[in-house]
Amino acid sequence: MRFSLLEPLPPSLAAPLAALRQQLAALDQVVVAYSGGVDSALVAALAVEQRGAAALAITGVSPALAPHLRQEASVQAGWLRIRHQEIATAELADPAYASNPEERCYACKRELHRLLAPIAAAAGSATVLDGVNADDLGDHRPGIRAAREFGVRSPLAEVGLDKAGVRQLSRALGLPWWDKPAQPCLASRFPYGEPITAERLQRVAAAEAWLLAAGWPQLRVRSQGQTARIELPADQLDRALRLWADPTPRGELVAAFLELGFTAVGVDLEGLVSGKLNRELAAQRALGFRASPLP
């Protein structure tokens, strides 16, 4: 199986694609930490292209993974014809995660890779790969440190592919989800320092599912205390504000969120900004404050 190019690639992408294929072809057994996002799906696609049955995609499942994303990951893996396995992760049992400190993502990835390590060993000392891209290296991503501690490789970052390059390359290779919106785990909806529980994660998942069903394909529902703050792409804000100015659809929205257990709901007028809550880190550090230090 080989993915054929459906459109020509500029040299800036043709060279990384060739390098990725060469790197993966040189590996024996491969385990891909696979969330179903565009990045890890591209790694999984090229892994199964180069290694066939020697490639295995594994998805960590917990309340932090939205149910529709779990389903999408399964469907995509079937489309790719890569062996796919789900494993239950228990990061919520770790105070270093549940207390939601700045290093929460480190605890999450530490749990995932703790479970992947024996699976990789049983597969013949397989190499574990993740979907970290070059852009991720410049953001607050403590999970990258956990991956490195377990010897995980990041082939996209190694060849210098950023998010835009990943999308363009995925489209050229015919992956139908090349423009799939970024969907970080549900824990990212909570300000650092606010405790994370399965119930709070499920409430956010249900709120986002309600909005998805109502026709908003890209969004976040930030949970701050008992308040829900809806983030939509900036180019959709005018439509949303016009719609919810009408008492009937606004009332349906408010009633749905109150039924889920929120006590208030609002719309963020800035719009959807990935990693927005990381801004608080700079403000907290300026005041000499750290949110719930890592145990």
Side-chain angles (χ1 to χ4, degrees):
M1 171 180 168
R2 188 174 179 86
F3 292 95
S4 300
L5 289 173
L6 304 182
E7 59 186 68
L9 289 175
S12 60
L13 288 179
L17 175 58
L20 282 169
R21 283 173 161 159
Q22 184 177 19
Q23 286 183 10
L24 292 169
L27 300 176
D28 186 9
Q29 303 286 328
V30 173
V31 169
V32 180
Y34 167 73
S35 67
V38 179
D39 301 316
S40 64
L42 177 58
V43 175
L46 294 175
V48 73
E49 175 194 78
Q50 296 298 315
R51 303 306 306 139
L56 170 65
I58 297 184
T59 303
V61 176
S62 78
L65 177 65
H68 75 280
L69 295 180
R70 177 181 180 180
Q71 176 63 20
E72 287 176 12
S74 177
V75 170
Q76 290 171 199
W79 190 92
L80 291 171
R81 299 183 182 179
I82 190 171
R83 293 188 299 131
H84 181 223
Q85 178 182 339
E86 294 183 343
I87 59 172
T89 59
E91 61 269 21
L92 277 170
D94 184 353
Y97 176 90
S99 63
N100 198 13
E102 295 178 20
E103 302 290 295
R104 180 198 69 235
C105 290
Y106 173 82
C108 178
K109 294 302 183 184
R110 180 177 60 191
E111 166 70 1
L112 173 64
H113 293 302
R114 179 186 70 82
L115 297 173
L116 290 184
I119 295 174
S125 299
T127 301
V128 179
L129 308 175
D130 65 19
V132 169
N133 66 59
D135 286 338
D136 296 330
L137 301 180
D139 197 4
H140 179 70
R141 300 291 178 102
I144 295 176
R145 176 163 55 89
R148 297 296 175 268
E149 290 173 359
F150 280 89
V152 177
R153 290 184 58 181
S154 304
L156 303 178
E158 288 177 18
V159 300
L161 270 178
D162 60 12
K163 190 72 172 187
V166 168
R167 291 194 183 280
Q168 188 175 348
L169 193 52
S170 297
R171 184 182 66 192
L173 291 171
L175 305 185
W177 50 81
W178 66 270
D179 60 347
K180 182 178 181 178
Q183 289 286 352
C185 80
L186 294 174
S188 68
R189 310 306 195 263
F190 299 88
Y192 293 111
E194 281 200 16
I196 296 173
T197 65
E199 292 74 21
R200 298 190 80 195
L201 291 167
Q202 289 161 358
R203 182 169 66 180
V204 167
E208 293 191 353
W210 190 92
L211 288 166
L212 285 168
W216 304 96
Q218 189 174 0
L219 69 137
R220 304 276 192 279
V221 173
R222 306 287 187 187
S223 178
Q224 295 182 290
Q226 298 299 102
T227 297
R229 191 181 81 239
I230 300 170
E231 289 184 14
L232 297 168
D235 60 2
Q236 296 180 26
L237 277 176
D238 285 346
R239 180 168 71 91
L241 294 174
R242 285 195 301 270
L243 174 67
W244 292 325
D246 185 314
T248 299
R250 183 175 72 248
E252 293 172 351
L253 169 68
V254 171
F257 276 55
L258 293 181
E259 186 175 350
L260 290 174
F262 290 107
T263 59
V265 55
V267 178
D268 190 319
L269 296 181
E270 182 186 16
L272 194 160
V273 177
S274 183
K276 182 179 288 188
L277 294 182
N278 284 343
R279 293 175 181 170
E280 296 185 9
L281 296 180
Q284 290 167 356
R285 287 167 181 158
L287 296 172
F289 172 76
R290 289 176 62 87
S292 301
L294 185 67

